Amino acid sequence: MNNRSDYFSLSGRTFKEFRNEVNRFEKNLVFRRVKMGEIYFSIMPKKPGTGTEGIPMTQKNWDLYCETFETGAEFKPETEDFGDLYEEDPELFEENRVRSRLFLTVGGEHLFVSGDAQATIGSRLGQGGTDYNIPGLARNMAIACHLREMPEKTAVTLVMLKRDDQKGESLNGMKLLAMPSGGYVHIPLSWVPAIAIRLAKERTLGRPRVTGWTIDQKRILFEMEFPEYAEQLKEEYGFKELLIPGVRIETSPVTRSSFEVIGTLRPERGYAIDDSCEKLTHRGHVDIDDYMEKVGKTILTGVRKTSEELAKKLGRELTESTDAGERREAYARAILAGIEGLHLASPRVLGERRTKEIRDGLIEEFNPDIPYTEYDIAVTFLHIAERVDPLSEEVKKALRSACKGAALINYRPSRITLLP
């Protein structure tokens, strides 16, 4: 697939291939800081196969549009032919026509505009919302209008992707991936494999195993786990199942506000939760050595703290009573304490409907013959994601983050209202 297509995506499970593809992607990224007054947009025809002409939103065309809008006359703007760009990359040209219907022009050079760039363009212009992301003449005219209302000296950064074979300084034919502010500082994508190598070489968590990676224009994701350390934790703390520490590294050249290294903890037969996170924003001075020092402390401290808290819960039974009714009530209170403590009913996590389904299912699974401990309940919440699959990436992330608190909750609350 064309690596400049909005639909470009690669995935795999070997580190060598990941590093090669990340380096290739990084090599083709281009950054240019410009002023708002230096750029304008051209509107593309709506339907594929309708020629290669566009409508440059110059002052003349803009005045003409305003005049015809007020009078109701037919809009007959001056047009510009982009046939040279069509010849250069017809596949990307047609995708551009459908996805964004925009070209960006700076210094007389024309850039394709990714459909995913629309949100960042809107942010720079102080615009947004669902309608803003729907390409069309009205939306494109709104972009042109708001661009002209911006102070000409306002700085923005153009994040662009060139062709593999593109040489020289010309921006012509590059693809705009995003338009962050002028203060944007790029964090090299090559940091992802570099950090993975450092964590592997330090062997603090033992020998790592790559579990997967994904590369597209919106996100770079690399994941690895440390099964040797999981065996060590199980033996040291007496856990009933393996809890496997891992690291997930995420960044993006376009949409993410920060570079993130996230410590994870995954039950042996379940999904990973986010245990700890160290973020680095695209602002100011960035240094990989300083960042790695913070990552080491954050990730190791997080894994150790979660493990220690879980270990404390191993011998804590929910109640000393042998009465089945009292044991059932203690179990139900523990489940409710977990749901409340993790804020699962929050709209950004699972919401009330899904949470009620989970609550009812867990309470129904009570077995009077099992002497439940706080550890059992905590691990149950580490497995929650398995009960609500499939989930969107956004909800998955919120749930992974919420469940990291499962080891810290008091599952023997003195008072908690049992919901109907």
mmCIF file of all heavy atoms in Angstrom, residues 263-285:
data_model
loop_
_atom_site.group_PDB
_atom_site.id
_atom_site.type_symbol
_atom_site.label_atom_id
_atom_site.label_comp_id
_atom_site.label_asym_id
_atom_site.label_seq_id
_atom_site.Cartn_x
_atom_site.Cartn_y
_atom_site.Cartn_z
ATOM 1 N N GLY A 263 3.747 1.522 31.431
ATOM 2 C CA GLY A 263 3.966 0.220 32.039
ATOM 3 C C GLY A 263 2.645 -0.525 32.096
ATOM 4 O O GLY A 263 1.601 0.049 32.407
ATOM 5 N N THR A 264 2.648 -1.797 31.770
ATOM 6 C CA THR A 264 1.413 -2.585 31.777
ATOM 7 C C THR A 264 1.574 -3.803 32.682
ATOM 8 O O THR A 264 2.691 -4.217 33.004
ATOM 9 C CB THR A 264 1.037 -3.062 30.363
ATOM 10 O OG1 THR A 264 2.064 -3.950 29.863
ATOM 11 C CG2 THR A 264 0.890 -1.883 29.412
ATOM 12 N N LEU A 265 0.452 -4.349 33.088
ATOM 13 C CA LEU A 265 0.433 -5.579 33.877
ATOM 14 C C LEU A 265 -0.705 -6.423 33.325
ATOM 15 O O LEU A 265 -1.863 -5.984 33.300
ATOM 16 C CB LEU A 265 0.207 -5.264 35.354
ATOM 17 C CG LEU A 265 0.557 -6.367 36.353
ATOM 18 C CD1 LEU A 265 2.062 -6.670 36.305
ATOM 19 C CD2 LEU A 265 0.152 -5.966 37.757
ATOM 20 N N ARG A 266 -0.387 -7.628 32.870
ATOM 21 C CA ARG A 266 -1.397 -8.465 32.227
ATOM 22 C C ARG A 266 -1.563 -9.796 32.952
ATOM 23 O O ARG A 266 -0.600 -10.527 33.130
ATOM 24 C CB ARG A 266 -0.997 -8.735 30.770
ATOM 25 C CG ARG A 266 -2.039 -9.561 29.992
ATOM 26 C CD ARG A 266 -1.632 -9.730 28.545
ATOM 27 N NE ARG A 266 -0.436 -10.531 28.396
ATOM 28 C CZ ARG A 266 -0.408 -11.871 28.395
ATOM 29 N NH1 ARG A 266 -1.522 -12.570 28.565
ATOM 30 N NH2 ARG A 266 0.735 -12.505 28.222
ATOM 31 N N PRO A 267 -2.798 -10.093 33.391
ATOM 32 C CA PRO A 267 -3.045 -11.435 33.909
ATOM 33 C C PRO A 267 -2.720 -12.461 32.827
ATOM 34 O O PRO A 267 -2.912 -12.196 31.632
ATOM 35 C CB PRO A 267 -4.549 -11.417 34.217
ATOM 36 C CG PRO A 267 -4.886 -9.981 34.395
ATOM 37 C CD PRO A 267 -3.993 -9.242 33.447
ATOM 38 N N GLU A 268 -2.249 -13.614 33.244
ATOM 39 C CA GLU A 268 -1.741 -14.628 32.313
ATOM 40 C C GLU A 268 -2.729 -14.943 31.186
ATOM 41 O O GLU A 268 -2.335 -15.144 30.041
ATOM 42 C CB GLU A 268 -1.411 -15.904 33.085
ATOM 43 C CG GLU A 268 -0.731 -16.973 32.250
ATOM 44 C CD GLU A 268 -0.326 -18.158 33.104
ATOM 45 O OE1 GLU A 268 -0.671 -18.174 34.310
ATOM 46 O OE2 GLU A 268 0.331 -19.071 32.580
ATOM 47 N N ARG A 269 -4.013 -14.997 31.505
ATOM 48 C CA ARG A 269 -5.014 -15.333 30.493
ATOM 49 C C ARG A 269 -5.964 -14.158 30.247
ATOM 50 O O ARG A 269 -7.172 -14.331 30.085
ATOM 51 C CB ARG A 269 -5.809 -16.571 30.939
ATOM 52 C CG ARG A 269 -4.967 -17.851 30.966
ATOM 53 C CD ARG A 269 -5.740 -19.013 31.538
ATOM 54 N NE ARG A 269 -6.093 -18.792 32.935
ATOM 55 C CZ ARG A 269 -5.268 -19.001 33.955
ATOM 56 N NH1 ARG A 269 -4.039 -19.440 33.723
ATOM 57 N NH2 ARG A 269 -5.652 -18.778 35.198
ATOM 58 N N GLY A 270 -5.434 -12.952 30.244
ATOM 59 C CA GLY A 270 -6.303 -11.798 30.081
ATOM 60 C C GLY A 270 -5.645 -10.665 29.332
ATOM 61 O O GLY A 270 -4.608 -10.817 28.695
ATOM 62 N N TYR A 271 -6.266 -9.497 29.438
ATOM 63 C CA TYR A 271 -5.803 -8.291 28.771
ATOM 64 C C TYR A 271 -4.918 -7.473 29.711
ATOM 65 O O TYR A 271 -5.061 -7.534 30.933
ATOM 66 C CB TYR A 271 -6.989 -7.426 28.333
ATOM 67 C CG TYR A 271 -7.859 -8.055 27.276
ATOM 68 C CD1 TYR A 271 -8.914 -8.896 27.619
ATOM 69 C CD2 TYR A 271 -7.632 -7.813 25.929
ATOM 70 C CE1 TYR A 271 -9.731 -9.472 26.648
ATOM 71 C CE2 TYR A 271 -8.431 -8.375 24.953
ATOM 72 C CZ TYR A 271 -9.481 -9.205 25.322
ATOM 73 O OH TYR A 271 -10.274 -9.769 24.359
ATOM 74 N N ALA A 272 -4.064 -6.657 29.117
ATOM 75 C CA ALA A 272 -3.175 -5.820 29.925
ATOM 76 C C ALA A 272 -3.906 -4.591 30.445
ATOM 77 O O ALA A 272 -4.781 -4.039 29.777
ATOM 78 C CB ALA A 272 -1.972 -5.383 29.088
ATOM 79 N N ILE A 273 -3.550 -4.161 31.649
ATOM 80 C CA ILE A 273 -4.012 -2.887 32.181
ATOM 81 C C ILE A 273 -2.827 -1.929 32.195
ATOM 82 O O ILE A 273 -1.668 -2.344 32.196
ATOM 83 C CB ILE A 273 -4.589 -3.018 33.611
ATOM 84 C CG1 ILE A 273 -3.478 -3.447 34.587
ATOM 85 C CG2 ILE A 273 -5.759 -3.973 33.642
ATOM 86 C CD1 ILE A 273 -3.798 -3.155 36.025
ATOM 87 N N ASP A 274 -3.139 -0.629 32.180
ATOM 88 C CA ASP A 274 -2.075 0.377 32.254
ATOM 89 C C ASP A 274 -1.699 0.588 33.709
ATOM 90 O O ASP A 274 -2.529 1.034 34.506
ATOM 91 C CB ASP A 274 -2.548 1.699 31.654
ATOM 92 C CG ASP A 274 -2.723 1.611 30.152
ATOM 93 O OD1 ASP A 274 -2.399 0.564 29.601
ATOM 94 O OD2 ASP A 274 -3.194 2.589 29.551
ATOM 95 N N ASP A 275 -0.468 0.258 34.048
ATOM 96 C CA ASP A 275 -0.049 0.337 35.444
ATOM 97 C C ASP A 275 0.585 1.677 35.786
ATOM 98 O O ASP A 275 0.401 2.214 36.856
ATOM 99 C CB ASP A 275 0.942 -0.800 35.737
ATOM 100 C CG ASP A 275 1.381 -0.812 37.184
ATOM 101 O OD1 ASP A 275 0.571 -1.232 38.024
ATOM 102 O OD2 ASP A 275 2.509 -0.375 37.463
ATOM 103 N N SER A 276 1.362 2.240 34.875
ATOM 104 C CA SER A 276 2.058 3.505 35.115
ATOM 105 C C SER A 276 2.393 4.129 33.772
ATOM 106 O O SER A 276 2.443 3.447 32.751
ATOM 107 C CB SER A 276 3.334 3.275 35.929
ATOM 108 O OG SER A 276 4.109 2.236 35.340
ATOM 109 N N CYS A 277 2.624 5.428 33.759
ATOM 110 C CA CYS A 277 2.859 6.113 32.491
ATOM 111 C C CYS A 277 3.802 7.288 32.685
ATOM 112 O O CYS A 277 3.712 8.006 33.675
ATOM 113 C CB CYS A 277 1.524 6.597 31.914
ATOM 114 S SG CYS A 277 1.680 7.496 30.354
ATOM 115 N N GLU A 278 4.707 7.477 31.734
ATOM 116 C CA GLU A 278 5.589 8.634 31.725
ATOM 117 C C GLU A 278 5.414 9.338 30.378
ATOM 118 O O GLU A 278 5.679 8.760 29.322
ATOM 119 C CB GLU A 278 7.047 8.211 31.914
ATOM 120 C CG GLU A 278 8.008 9.368 32.084
ATOM 121 C CD GLU A 278 7.725 10.192 33.330
ATOM 122 O OE1 GLU A 278 7.624 9.613 34.429
ATOM 123 O OE2 GLU A 278 7.593 11.431 33.190
ATOM 124 N N LYS A 279 4.911 10.584 30.418
ATOM 125 C CA LYS A 279 4.625 11.322 29.196
ATOM 126 C C LYS A 279 5.687 12.389 28.920
ATOM 127 O O LYS A 279 6.288 12.917 29.835
ATOM 128 C CB LYS A 279 3.252 12.007 29.299
ATOM 129 C CG LYS A 279 2.084 11.052 29.407
ATOM 130 C CD LYS A 279 0.776 11.824 29.414
ATOM 131 C CE LYS A 279 -0.410 10.872 29.488
ATOM 132 N NZ LYS A 279 -1.714 11.606 29.432
ATOM 133 N N LEU A 280 5.835 12.678 27.632
ATOM 134 C CA LEU A 280 6.719 13.763 27.211
ATOM 135 C C LEU A 280 5.979 14.543 26.128
ATOM 136 O O LEU A 280 5.624 13.986 25.086
ATOM 137 C CB LEU A 280 8.033 13.215 26.656
ATOM 138 C CG LEU A 280 9.075 14.253 26.233
ATOM 139 C CD1 LEU A 280 9.533 15.075 27.426
ATOM 140 C CD2 LEU A 280 10.272 13.578 25.575
ATOM 141 N N THR A 281 5.695 15.825 26.385
ATOM 142 C CA THR A 281 4.929 16.615 25.432
ATOM 143 C C THR A 281 5.827 17.178 24.338
ATOM 144 O O THR A 281 7.037 17.277 24.497
ATOM 145 C CB THR A 281 4.203 17.777 26.141
ATOM 146 O OG1 THR A 281 5.180 18.618 26.778
ATOM 147 C CG2 THR A 281 3.242 17.250 27.193
ATOM 148 N N HIS A 282 5.187 17.563 23.239
ATOM 149 C CA HIS A 282 5.915 18.111 22.086
ATOM 150 C C HIS A 282 6.180 19.596 22.283
ATOM 151 O O HIS A 282 5.847 20.436 21.441
ATOM 152 C CB HIS A 282 5.095 17.889 20.805
ATOM 153 C CG HIS A 282 4.919 16.449 20.453
ATOM 154 N ND1 HIS A 282 5.818 15.753 19.688
ATOM 155 C CD2 HIS A 282 3.932 15.578 20.781
ATOM 156 C CE1 HIS A 282 5.384 14.509 19.537
ATOM 157 N NE2 HIS A 282 4.252 14.374 20.192
ATOM 158 N N ARG A 283 6.793 19.933 23.400
ATOM 159 C CA ARG A 283 7.079 21.322 23.730
ATOM 160 C C ARG A 283 8.461 21.441 24.344
ATOM 161 O O ARG A 283 8.912 20.536 25.067
ATOM 162 C CB ARG A 283 6.056 21.849 24.741
ATOM 163 C CG ARG A 283 4.650 21.979 24.191
ATOM 164 C CD ARG A 283 4.476 23.326 23.538
ATOM 165 N NE ARG A 283 3.161 23.492 22.953
ATOM 166 C CZ ARG A 283 2.795 24.568 22.291
ATOM 167 N NH1 ARG A 283 3.645 25.558 22.148
ATOM 168 N NH2 ARG A 283 1.595 24.666 21.760
ATOM 169 N N GLY A 284 9.118 22.574 24.124
ATOM 170 C CA GLY A 284 10.386 22.853 24.775
ATOM 171 C C GLY A 284 11.485 21.873 24.397
ATOM 172 O O GLY A 284 11.478 21.249 23.337
ATOM 173 N N HIS A 285 12.440 21.728 25.315
ATOM 174 C CA HIS A 285 13.610 20.870 25.073
ATOM 175 C C HIS A 285 13.273 19.416 25.371
ATOM 176 O O HIS A 285 12.677 19.108 26.406
ATOM 177 C CB HIS A 285 14.762 21.319 25.958
ATOM 178 C CG HIS A 285 15.980 20.444 25.853
ATOM 179 N ND1 HIS A 285 16.758 20.382 24.714
ATOM 180 C CD2 HIS A 285 16.532 19.573 26.746
ATOM 181 C CE1 HIS A 285 17.746 19.516 24.907
ATOM 182 N NE2 HIS A 285 17.632 19.033 26.126
#
